[in-house]
């Protein structure tokens, strides 16, 4: 860096940077003149500037040298030079964390903050609060209170902002200044108003009632400051979001009225708040969209950017609301700010018609290399959404994506493209071959291990079923030769799948496997040896179980069980069925607006939701003998929203029992609930074993109580049951402000909605990547078939959705998607029944007047088959 | 869609940067832990500079942050905030910073003038943003609060108020100091002192911007 300065100096011929060649030690040496009398303000000022400059450049100061310089600096308080004094404040702030004993300047700063010189007071307050801790704060509390209501705006603002910084550290002290802050909020100065509002909100944000009151007051009285308005809008939209109610409250009206504010900042904030509200109707959006439309033609780039970025967000949910702006957006395509242009195009891609797609794609490709990676990802997301909307355009998109894939770009960008191509392949069978070809080309020169392994996995899954599987072998084997261990291992697995699926390729695959067994990495060798042996057996069932459909257990669960097993040495072999199953991530493709961002790589190390439950339940002594947790259901609401108590239930299924976990929240701030249990009355032969109460349920702190139920052993087909639930508890009235409860309480009860246990609660979803192989593996020993008529269902889509949600099984081979304009469909479902029995369901659907369904069930256990057919019927 | 509603907060600004036309840091202040180490900060500054120094387009999205910027001759000013932040608020900070400096440097906003007035820059930024909270957005107020004594500037270019303030400040402590401090003849200085001493009292009470 210094060299660069030198060169520059030669060019300009004079010392252009007085701070070049600054050396920390020399500057600290110079700082000795701080001790001279009389003080020379100009020289001292220059040295202080140098010190701050060095700190600013990121120079590291040791504690001793910093403390030394700091103490020397404190002498400068003797000088009355204004700028010098101000620089002292700055030095104090900069050194607050690196020097020791900074609190010795407290008295000097306190003097300045209460003194006559207004120029000193604000900065002195800020410096003082920077070095103060909770204990010292008590001592200056009186001065702070005075400063907050001071009539000089800079003093008041400084005091308010410093208080805000200190809320994190000493909430209780700052809380006592609410009245002063309240007074400051009615100040005429716009910044004081803004800071006071901010402080008030931070002090009250946990108390919804107080926030609502404050909002009401300020929305009525009206504020001068645009910043304060923005803050109010944010508070209002947060409150609206929490109330979950409709949007016809006065809060929404307030936000909407801000759309007519004369300050652009406020108007934009209001529009953006409306756009970001969940469940906003098109009618509510319209005014916000129209102000954004006006901003699109603003001369200010920042405003255009803000507007088009927000419109882009609207277009994700309500493309039709933005169509009115299409003309304005078209004008922005040629904007000199590439960010604006990109956002405009991607928005148009979402709102435009199919015919404009080609033109827009051409536009983007002209400048895609100039924009930053963030925006390239935005472009890819737009394309991905477009592919779902216009499947017929996939060839244009695919070309474009493959071009982008060849360009330079970071990992995020490449991953977005790969994810997008994969989703296209899955959506459009006819694009499969081109897509796979592009991906093959990409992995030939791919530096990202994660992407390479992902693509290899996909090749293994899709490749063998293409008309010409042999052409992929070359790409895969190249990886074995050229890449790192992880990629080689993935390539070996992919090869094995080709060998298992295609008999004519098997001999060649075996030869290649043989070579992989010489690999330098042990994981690669292990895999090769394993697959080699499985393949040589030439048994379909083995292939299916060990090559196509891998383990379906949860990894942390397996780790725990194995650990347990090694702790207690037994003769018994380890039983895979005792391991909890992995919960299949729920991927709902239709609601997925941004497939790229949501398809994050699952991090295997973070435990899933079910593992967390397992942990929690295992901690309760009564539940220890139940064995591994089989399945945890989604939360079921047992109360209406906005009632006194909110109760949600999670159903945990074990091999022979069920545990109902009730998450209760008390929304009354004048009540404390104790000994809360939910009493359950089963309709069938289910038997309630124990209740575990939640000992205490204070206001707004959720607590859980549990009910343990034994499943009927004699009748395995009794899988569904209805429970009527009543919450019983001891109420103690308490002071809403302090939370202090009365000594006496009384018993009370609260009727909850009925809870249903259905067949889906007994079945865990399991994804079989290759359903056909799994079907053969289970065999037809216990196959049963029956035909049903679903009279009330009108479309195949609806029928498929109903069956999946009723049985709670995992659709395989993407059979949950019904192709358009077809009268028949086959749905494949896979799952594991309670107790660890694999089960597969094939449902043939035909559309006539209603939908006719022929269900074939296979399982290793006869009762399971009966249960399913009985429950469907 | 990131539907998370913005947590209402006064903490708006994540960083204020000033780079020169080689992309080297002249001033940098980070208000939160987005870039905790100097190394990460420098890398970020480099990235910003590469992405912005050729285009004059005032706003960009980089590393998930909104960056508003402005360049003048050989200086690049940046204000950085979260990508959910109101872009216009960040713009207000940038404009305030630039206009304040422009006034303090007498429209001479370039690298050399800035380096000669680093203390003014430090004080101005301190008045505009405090720990990430916008403290003031009116350049007039900022310049007024920084109240930089223009002692490097010949007397003729100083405003009457500034001269008055300079002299009055020193007067109270030590009279002979002024004559050395300000470049002017003894005779003129005395004349000025006499004038000022005469009007000292009413200038205090009448002048609204004088402290």
């Amino acid at each position: 860096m210094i060299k660069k300065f030198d060169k520059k100096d030669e060019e300009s011929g004079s010392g252009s940077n007085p701070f070049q060649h600054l050396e920390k030690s020399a500057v600290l040496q110079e700082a000795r003149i701080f001790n001279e009398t009389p003080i020379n303000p100009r020289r001292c000022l220059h040295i202080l500037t140098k010190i701050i400059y060095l700190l600013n450049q990121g120079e590291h100061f040791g504690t001793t040298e910093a403390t030394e310089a700091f103490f020397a600096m404190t002498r400068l308080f003797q000088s009355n030079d204004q700028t010098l004094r101000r620089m002292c404040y700055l030095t104090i702030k900069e050194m607050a964390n690196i020097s020791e004993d900074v609190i010795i300047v407290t008295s000097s700063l306190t003097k300045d903050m209460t003194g006559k010189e207004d120029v000193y007071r604000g900065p002195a307050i800020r410096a003082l609060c920077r070095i103060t801790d909770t204990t010292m704060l008590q001592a200056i509390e009186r001065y702070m209170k005075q400063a907050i209501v001071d009539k000089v705006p800079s003093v008041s603002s400084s005091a308010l902002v410093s208080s805000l910084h200190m809320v994190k550290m000493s909430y209780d002290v700052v809380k006592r200044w609410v009245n002063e802050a309240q007074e400051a909020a009615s100040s005429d100065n716009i910044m004081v108003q803004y800071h006071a509002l901010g402080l008030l909100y931070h002090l009250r944000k946990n108390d919804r009632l107080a926030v609502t009151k404050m909002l009401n007051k300020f929305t009525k009285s009206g504020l001068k400051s645009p910043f304060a308005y923005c803050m109010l809008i944010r508070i209002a939209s947060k409150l609206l979001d929490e109330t979950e109610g409709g949007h016809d409250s006065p809060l929404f009206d307030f936000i909407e009225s801000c759309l007519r504010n004369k300050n652009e900042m406020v108007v934009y904030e209001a529009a953006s708040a409306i756009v970001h509200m969940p469940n906003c109707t098109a009618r509510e959006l319209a005014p916000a969209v129209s102000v954004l439309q006006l901003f699109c033609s603003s001369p200010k780039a920042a405003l255009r950017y803000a507007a088009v970025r927000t419109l882009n967000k609207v277009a994700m949910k309500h493309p039709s609301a933005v169509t009115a702006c299409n003309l304005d957006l078209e004008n922005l395509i040629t904007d000199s700010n590439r960010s604006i242009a990109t956002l405009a195009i991607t928005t148009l891609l979402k709102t435009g018609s199919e015919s404009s797609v080609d033109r827009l794609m051409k536009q983007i490709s002209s400048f895609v290399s100039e924009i930053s990676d963030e925006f390239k990802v935005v472009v890819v997301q737009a394309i991905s959404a477009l592919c779902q909307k216009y499947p017929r355009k996939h060839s244009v998109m695919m070309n474009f994506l493959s071009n982008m894939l060849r360009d330079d770009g970071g990992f995020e960008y490449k991953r977005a493209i790969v994810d997008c191509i994969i989703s296209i392949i899955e959506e459009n069978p006819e694009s499969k071959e081109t897509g796979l070809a592009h991906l093959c080309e990409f992995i030939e020169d791919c530096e990202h291990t994660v992407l390479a392994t992902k693509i290899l996995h996909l090749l293994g899954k899709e490749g063998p079923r293409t008309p010409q599987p042999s052409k992929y072998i070359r790409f895969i084997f190249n990886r074995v030769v050229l890449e790192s261990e992880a990629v080689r291992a993935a390539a070996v697995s992919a090869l094995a799948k080709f060998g298992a699926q295609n008999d004519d390729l098997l001999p060649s695959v075996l030869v290649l496997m043989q070579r992989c067994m010489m690999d330098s990495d042990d994981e690669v060798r292990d895999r090769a040896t394993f697959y080699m042996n499985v393949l040589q057996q030439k048994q379909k069932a083995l292939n299916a179980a060990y090559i196509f459909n891998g383990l379906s257990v949860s990894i942390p669960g397996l780790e725990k069980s194995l650990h347990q097993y090694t702790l207690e040495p037994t003769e018994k072999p380890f039983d895979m069925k005792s391991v909890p199953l992995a919960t299949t991530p729920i991927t709902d493709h239709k609601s997925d607006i941004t497939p790229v961002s949501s398809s994050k790589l699952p991090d295997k190390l973070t435990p899933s939701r079910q593992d967390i439950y397992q942990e929690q339940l295992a901690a309760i002594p009564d539940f220890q003998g139940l064995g591994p947790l089989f399945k945890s259901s989604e939360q079921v609401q047992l109360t209406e929203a906005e009632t006194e108590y909110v109760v949600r239930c999670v159903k945990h299924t074990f091999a022979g029992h069920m545990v109902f976990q009730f998450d209760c929240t008390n929304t009354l701030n004048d009540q404390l609930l104790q000994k809360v249990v939910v009493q359950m009355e089963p309709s069938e032969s289910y038997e309630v074993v124990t209740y575990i109460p939640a000992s205490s349920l204070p206001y707004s702190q959720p607590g859980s109580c549990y009910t343990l139920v034994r499943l009927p052993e004699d009748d395995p087909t009794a899988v569904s049951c209805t429970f009527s639930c009543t919450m019983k508890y001891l109420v103690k009235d308490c002071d809403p402000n302090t939370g202090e409860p009365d000594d006496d309480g009384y018993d009370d009860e609260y009727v909850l909605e009925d809870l249903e246990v259905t067949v889906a609660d007994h079945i865990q979803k399991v994804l079989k990547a290759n359903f056909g192989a799994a079907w053969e593996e289970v065999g037809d020993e216990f196959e049963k078939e029956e035909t049903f008529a679903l009279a009330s269902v009108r479309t195949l889509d609806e029928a498929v959705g109903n069956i999946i949600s009723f049985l709670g099984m995992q659709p395989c081979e993407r059979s949950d998607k019904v192709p358009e304009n077809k009268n028949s469909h086959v749905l494949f479902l896979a799952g594991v029944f309670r107790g660890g029995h694999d089960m597969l369901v094939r449902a043939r659907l035909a559309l006539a007047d209603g939908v006719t369904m022929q269900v074939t069930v296979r399982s290793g256990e006869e009762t399971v088959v009966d249960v399913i057919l009985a429950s469907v019927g | 869609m990131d539907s998370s509603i913005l947590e209402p907060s006064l903490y708006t600004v994540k960083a204020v940067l000033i780079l020169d036309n080689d992309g080297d840091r002249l001033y940098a202040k980070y208000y939160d832990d987005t870039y905790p180490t100097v190394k990460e900060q420098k890398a970020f500054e480099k990235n910003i500079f590469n992405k912005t120094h050729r285009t004059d387009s005032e706003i960009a999205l980089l590393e998930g942050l909104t960056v508003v910027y402005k360049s003048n001759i050989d200086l690049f000013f940046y204000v950085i905030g979260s990508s959910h932040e109101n872009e216009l608020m960040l713009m207000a900070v940038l404009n305030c910073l630039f206009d304040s400096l422009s006034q303090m440097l007498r429209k001479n906003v370039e690298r050399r003038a800035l380096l000669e007035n680093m203390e003014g820059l430090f004080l101005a930024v301190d008045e505009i943003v405090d720990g990430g909270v916008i403290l003031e957005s009116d350049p007039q107020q900022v310049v007024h609060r920084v109240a930089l004594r223009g002692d490097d500037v010949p007397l003729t270019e100083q405003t009457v108020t500034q001269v008055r303030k300079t002299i009055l400040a020193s007067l109270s402590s030590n009279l002979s100091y002024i004559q050395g401090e300000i470049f002017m003849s003894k005779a003129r200085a005395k004349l000025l002192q006499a004038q000022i001493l005469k009007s000292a009292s009413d200038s205090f009470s009448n002048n609204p911007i004088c402290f």
Side-chain angles (χ1 to χ4, degrees):
Chain A
M1 190 171 111
I2 290 169
K3 269 190 191 143
K4 215 177 232 170
F5 276 135
D6 279 341
K7 207 172 128 203
K8 208 176 172 64
D9 285 347
E10 281 159 26
E11 282 164 11
S12 59
S14 67
S16 61
N17 184 353
F19 296 101
Q20 65 177 323
H21 310 309
L22 267 192
E23 284 214 10
K24 184 176 67 175
S25 51
V27 174
L28 290 174
Q29 196 81 25
E30 277 186 277
R32 292 197 178 157
I33 67 149
F34 292 171
N35 291 320
E36 282 172 16
T37 21
I39 293 163
N40 180 342
R42 280 186 76 186
R43 284 187 61 196
C44 293
L45 176 63
H46 194 60
I47 293 162
L48 276 186
T49 311
K50 281 182 184 170
I51 292 179
I52 299 184
Y53 182 84
L54 281 176
L55 282 168
N56 209 284
Q57 286 295 322
E59 189 83 41
H60 176 75
F61 278 63
T63 312
T64 339
E65 50 192 8
T67 312
E68 222 164 82
F70 183 82
F71 273 71
M73 185 273 302
T74 56
R75 262 205 87 245
L76 300 182
F77 271 93
Q78 287 173 13
S79 161
N80 277 328
D81 186 277
Q82 274 194 3
T83 317
L84 183 60
R85 181 70 63 87
R86 297 283 313 278
M87 287 301 279
C88 286
Y89 299 147
L90 268 192
T91 321
I92 293 171
K93 287 211 272 188
E94 294 284 340
M95 287 197 163
N97 287 335
I98 40 177
S99 164
E100 287 175 336
D101 298 326
V102 283
I103 50 168
I104 58 148
V105 285
T106 304
S107 65
S108 309
L109 289 173
T110 318
K111 210 174 112 212
D112 280 352
M113 95 180 241
T114 52
K116 285 200 192 74
E117 280 279 15
D118 285 344
V119 187
Y120 292 160
R121 292 173 60 198
I125 292 172
R126 301 203 298 273
L128 180 60
C129 291
R130 186 79 175 72
I131 58 166
T132 305
D133 56 16
T134 311
T135 47
M136 299 290 296
L137 191 58
Q138 314 262 8
I140 58 161
E141 184 174 357
R142 189 162 58 91
Y143 303 122
M144 286 301 289
K145 280 183 168 179
Q146 279 167 7
I148 289 176
V149 292
D150 199 287
K151 60 182 188 306
V152 180
S154 71
V155 176
S156 179
S157 273
S158 297
L160 286 164
V161 173
S162 303
S163 311
L164 180 67
H165 294 322
M166 285 188 302
V167 167
K168 280 176 234 138
M169 185 178 77
S170 22
Y171 176 79
D172 293 326
V173 181
V174 182
K175 205 172 77 178
R176 296 201 288 260
W177 309 344
V178 161
N179 287 334
E180 281 76 16
Q182 189 84 51
E183 194 182 326
S186 47
S187 157
D188 282 341
N189 184 284
I190 56 168
M191 292 317 283
V192 174
Q193 215 170 48
Y194 170 56
H195 297 138
L197 178 67
L199 180 62
L200 282 175
Y201 174 71
H202 274 272
L203 290 176
R204 289 172 173 170
K205 65 179 165 192
N206 294 324
D207 181 356
R208 256 190 62 184
L209 200 69
V211 174
T212 318
K213 266 190 203 157
M214 184 175 86
L215 261 184
N216 279 340
K217 187 182 157 211
F218 288 120
T219 49
K220 283 209 185 79
S221 64
L223 294 164
K224 275 187 184 167
S225 158
F227 293 106
Y229 260 112
C230 291
M231 186 74 188
L232 270 188
I233 292 170
R234 284 182 201 177
I235 301 174
S237 65
K238 186 156 194 296
L239 266 187
L240 265 181
D241 184 47
E242 282 166 359
T243 38
E244 295 170 5
H247 290 160
D248 30 276
S249 71
L251 289 178
F252 186 83
D253 294 343
F254 162 71
I255 298 178
E256 203 184 12
S257 74
C258 288
L259 289 175
R260 294 180 290 277
N261 194 294
K262 52 185 184 296
N263 194 305
E264 281 169 343
M265 191 194 291
V266 180
V267 176
Y268 169 64
E269 185 73 42
S272 153
I274 294 179
V275 166
H276 282 99
M277 271 176 210
N279 323 320
C280 212
T281 61
R283 196 177 56 83
E284 285 162 340
L285 273 176
V289 171
S290 61
V291 297
L292 291 174
Q293 183 176 9
L294 279 182
F295 286 163
C296 281
S297 44
S298 157
K300 291 182 199 156
L303 195 52
R304 292 199 302 274
Y305 172 88
V308 71
R309 204 164 101 98
T310 316
L311 283 176
N312 193 12
K313 291 226 171 93
V314 183
M316 286 182 186
K317 274 194 181 166
H318 302 277
S320 54
V322 190
T323 19
C325 312
N326 276 0
L327 205 62
D328 304 79
L329 290 171
E330 291 270 358
N331 290 332
L332 292 181
I333 291 180
T334 47
D335 200 288
S336 62
N337 186 326
R338 288 307 186 202
S339 309
I340 297 178
T342 318
L343 283 169
I345 292 189
T346 50
T347 314
L348 280 172
L349 283 177
K350 288 179 193 120
T351 62
S353 59
E354 194 164 354
S355 55
S356 59
V357 168
D358 293 287
R359 186 172 55 86
L360 290 171
M361 296 296 273
K362 206 174 276 173
Q363 282 270 12
I364 304 187
S365 34
S366 65
F367 64 80
V368 78
S369 56
E370 294 171 42
I371 56 182
S372 68
D373 267 15
E374 268 90 352
F375 281 107
K376 286 182 186 167
V377 173
V378 174
V379 171
V380 177
Q381 284 176 349
I383 294 174
S384 175
L386 206 58
C387 295
Q388 286 187 3
K389 203 161 140 205
Y390 303 121
R392 268 181 296 165
K393 286 282 167 194
H394 67 83
S395 60
V396 186
M397 312 287 176
M398 200 59 111
N399 267 332
F400 184 74
L401 287 171
S402 68
N403 283 333
M404 283 172 99
L405 208 48
R406 280 184 209 121
D407 292 338
D408 290 335
F411 170 66
E412 286 297 322
Y413 171 49
K414 296 281 175 177
R415 196 183 72 189
I417 303 175
V418 169
D419 284 344
C420 184
I421 294 186
I422 292 179
S423 75
I424 297 179
I425 293 176
E426 288 178 343
E427 297 287 324
N428 306 286
E430 62 267 45
S431 68
K432 192 188 276 179
E433 285 209 47
T434 33
L436 287 180
H438 288 312
L439 291 177
C440 282
E441 187 192 328
F442 174 61
I443 53 168
E444 286 285 286
D445 182 23
C446 169
E447 56 196 311
H448 309 292
T449 313
V450 181
L451 291 181
T453 47
K454 188 169 185 173
I455 293 172
L456 282 169
H457 179 76
L458 181 80
L459 281 177
K461 206 173 101 195
E462 301 288 346
R465 282 185 265 177
T466 52
Q468 266 190 308
S470 56
K471 68 177 174 190
Y472 300 108
I473 301 270
R474 180 175 67 87
F475 290 104
I476 297 173
F477 194 68
N478 276 348
R479 306 275 66 71
V480 177
V481 182
L482 299 168
E483 297 277 356
S484 64
E485 295 85 6
V487 181
R488 292 206 299 272
V492 169
S493 301
L495 272 182
K497 287 183 186 154
F498 279 86
Q501 183 94 5
N502 304 83
D503 289 335
D504 37 333
L505 285 179
L506 185 59
S508 343
V509 169
L510 285 176
V511 173
L512 293 176
M513 280 290 173
Q514 201 98 45
R515 275 200 57 182
C516 298
M517 283 160 71
M518 321 284 198
D519 197 278
S520 58
D521 184 72
D522 55 350
E523 169 72 22
V524 181
R525 281 198 307 273
D526 287 353
R527 285 200 193 192
T529 319
F530 173 71
Y531 289 130
M532 182 86 183
N533 284 316
V534 174
L535 287 173
Q536 277 168 342
Q537 305 297 318
K538 296 190 181 159
Q539 283 181 23
K540 278 254 159 14
L542 278 181
N543 285 351
Y546 295 108
I547 297 184
F548 295 125
N549 304 317
L551 285 178
S552 54
V553 294
S554 95
I555 303 293
L558 178 62
E559 188 187 343
K560 223 173 284 163
S561 315
L562 283 173
H563 181 66
Q564 199 65 36
Y565 183 74
T566 51
L567 286 182
E568 298 158 6
T570 55
E571 293 294 306
K572 275 198 300 182
F574 181 71
D575 183 12
M576 272 314 263
K577 282 184 180 159
S578 68
V579 183
L581 292 164
T583 35
T584 322
I586 301 141
T587 45
D588 187 356
H589 290 273
K590 283 199 177 129
S591 66
D592 212 353
I593 307 157
T594 53
V596 180
S597 62
S598 66
S599 55
K600 294 230 170 71
L601 301 160
D603 192 348
K604 282 193 179 144
L605 293 174
T606 55
S608 66
R609 179 172 152 268
Q610 182 160 350
D611 292 319
I612 297 168
Y613 281 132
Q614 162 110 26
E615 199 89 339
Q616 284 173 355
L617 293 175
I620 299 170
D622 294 62
F623 300 153
Q624 237 136 43
L626 300 182
L629 176 60
F630 178 73
K631 181 181 184 177
S632 296
S633 73
E634 293 296 308
Q635 282 197 333
V636 186
Q637 292 275 5
L638 293 184
T639 51
E640 312 246 319
E642 310 247 335
T643 44
E644 296 96 312
Y645 313 112
V646 179
V647 181
R648 299 188 182 90
C649 178
V650 181
K651 297 173 270 186
H652 302 289
T653 314
F654 291 84
H657 295 81
M658 284 188 90
V659 171
F660 299 94
Q661 174 184 345
F662 297 96
D663 297 327
C664 317
T665 313
N666 171 12
T667 63
L668 299 177
N669 62 358
D670 56 354
Q671 281 191 359
L672 171 75
L673 305 189
Q674 289 184 325
K675 297 179 199 151
V676 186
V677 288
V678 176
Q679 192 164 358
M680 302 179 80
E681 298 286 342
S683 65
E684 303 287 324
S685 56
Y686 283 46
E687 181 195 342
V688 177
V689 183
T690 40
Y691 294 109
I692 295 178
S695 58
S696 159
L697 208 59
Y699 164 59
S700 83
Q701 285 175 22
S704 300
C705 60
Y706 301 89
T707 306
L708 176 64
V709 170
R710 182 180 299 129
L711 299 172
E713 279 161 33
D714 45 340
D715 181 13
T717 53
V719 287
S720 52
C721 179
T722 309
F723 292 88
S724 49
C725 307
T726 317
M727 183 160 81
K728 299 201 167 176
Y729 45 84
L730 180 73
V731 186
K732 285 188 176 172
D733 290 326
C734 64
D735 186 329
N737 294 322
T738 60
E740 200 64 41
D742 292 348
D743 292 334
D744 303 323
Y746 52 92
D747 286 317
D748 200 356
E749 56 179 54
Y750 190 81
V751 179
L752 304 174
E753 281 170 35
D754 288 354
L755 182 67
E756 304 261 359
V757 172
T758 61
V759 64
D761 291 317
H762 302 271
I763 296 171
Q764 179 67 282
K765 292 179 176 186
V766 168
L767 182 68
K768 299 281 184 197
N770 191 326
F771 187 82
W775 186 253
E776 294 305 320
E777 181 198 345
V778 172
D780 55 2
E781 196 183 346
F782 298 114
E783 180 180 291
K784 288 203 178 169
E785 196 168 80
E786 240 175 278
T787 309
F788 304 92
L790 309 173
S792 58
V793 185
R794 289 276 154 252
T795 65
L796 287 175
D797 257 335
E798 197 184 337
V800 167
N802 284 352
I803 298 167
I804 292 172
S805 66
F806 179 75
L807 288 176
M809 294 172 75
Q810 177 68 35
C812 298
E813 313 261 331
R814 305 185 63 78
S815 62
D816 53 330
K817 299 239 156 153
V818 182
E820 277 173 49
N821 306 326
K822 287 217 172 150
N823 287 331
S824 62
H825 182 67
V826 186
L827 174 66
F828 302 113
L829 296 171
V832 172
F833 193 76
R834 175 168 55 82
H837 307 292
D838 262 330
M839 50 181 272
L840 300 168
V841 171
R842 186 181 64 195
R844 295 178 200 271
L845 303 167
L847 184 69
D849 274 341
V851 173
T852 321
M853 167 172 81
Q854 183 192 48
V855 182
T856 316
V857 187
R858 282 186 178 188
S859 170
E861 182 71 33
E862 189 169 11
T863 48
V864 175
V865 178
D866 292 336
V867 167
I868 298 297
L869 285 178
S871 63
V872 174
Chain B
M1 180 168 168
D2 34 11
S3 61
S4 61
I5 292 214
L6 217 55
E7 170 67 27
S9 159
L10 293 189
Y11 294 92
T12 309
V13 182
K14 281 181 180 286
V16 174
L17 307 176
I18 300 176
L19 307 179
D20 68 8
N21 56 355
D22 294 322
D24 289 321
R25 177 196 280 193
L26 291 181
Y27 181 82
K29 186 102 186 126
Y30 290 80
Y31 295 103
D32 66 2
D33 293 332
T34 317
Y35 299 97
T37 66
V38 178
K39 205 175 150 201
E40 287 167 273
Q41 293 176 358
K42 293 261 160 110
F44 174 63
E45 283 157 31
K46 199 170 163 181
N47 185 10
I48 276 201
F49 184 73
N50 287 340
K51 286 279 170 13
T52 55
H53 77 283
R54 262 170 284 127
T55 56
D56 186 28
S57 43
E58 129 179 5
I59 187 160
L61 184 70
L62 270 174
E63 304 187 15
L65 300 169
T66 299
V67 179
V68 294
Y69 59 98
K70 195 180 197 118
S71 65
N72 198 45
I73 310 177
D74 50 4
L75 290 175
F76 290 83
F77 297 83
Y78 300 91
V79 173
I80 291 135
S82 137
S83 63
H84 303 292
E85 196 44 75
N86 188 328
E87 289 85 349
L88 301 181
M89 273 198 184
L90 299 175
M91 212 58 206
V93 176
L94 180 69
N95 287 335
C96 175
L97 172 66
F98 186 82
D99 294 345
S100 310
L101 285 177
S102 167
Q103 275 193 43
M104 285 160 59
L105 305 175
R106 297 188 174 66
K107 300 237 156 50
N108 199 11
V109 186
E110 42 108 17
R111 182 166 171 273
R112 192 165 162 190
L114 186 73
L115 281 169
E116 280 167 6
N117 285 284
M118 276 314 256
E119 69 273 12
L121 166 67
F122 292 148
L123 294 177
V125 177
D126 183 55
E127 288 293 346
I128 298 171
V129 186
D130 183 76
V133 178
I134 305 177
L135 197 59
E136 182 54 71
S137 63
D138 177 5
Q140 290 298 340
Q141 285 292 326
V142 172
V143 173
H144 175 59
R145 283 182 201 169
V146 169
L148 206 57
R149 208 185 34 177
D151 52 4
D152 292 332
V153 187
L155 188 68
T156 45
E157 284 187 28
Q158 296 190 1
T159 64
V160 179
T161 341
Q162 275 171 327
V163 176
R164 221 181 256 163
K165 217 183 287 169
T166 318
I167 295 170
L168 274 174
S170 342
L171 249 180
S172 55
S173 56
N174 130 10
L175 261 171
S176 63
Y177 182 65
I178 324 163
Q179 285 143 358
E181 179 71 19
I182 308 171
F183 310 106
M184 59 180 183
S185 72
K186 257 188 184 169
R188 253 193 95 190
K190 275 193 181 147
L191 193 71
L192 205 62
Q193 276 169 31
Q195 279 175 2
I196 289 161
L197 284 173
K198 214 175 95 196
S199 62
S201 57
D202 49 36
S203 76
F204 261 118
S205 51
N206 292 347
N207 197 333
I209 54 163
C210 184
F211 284 98

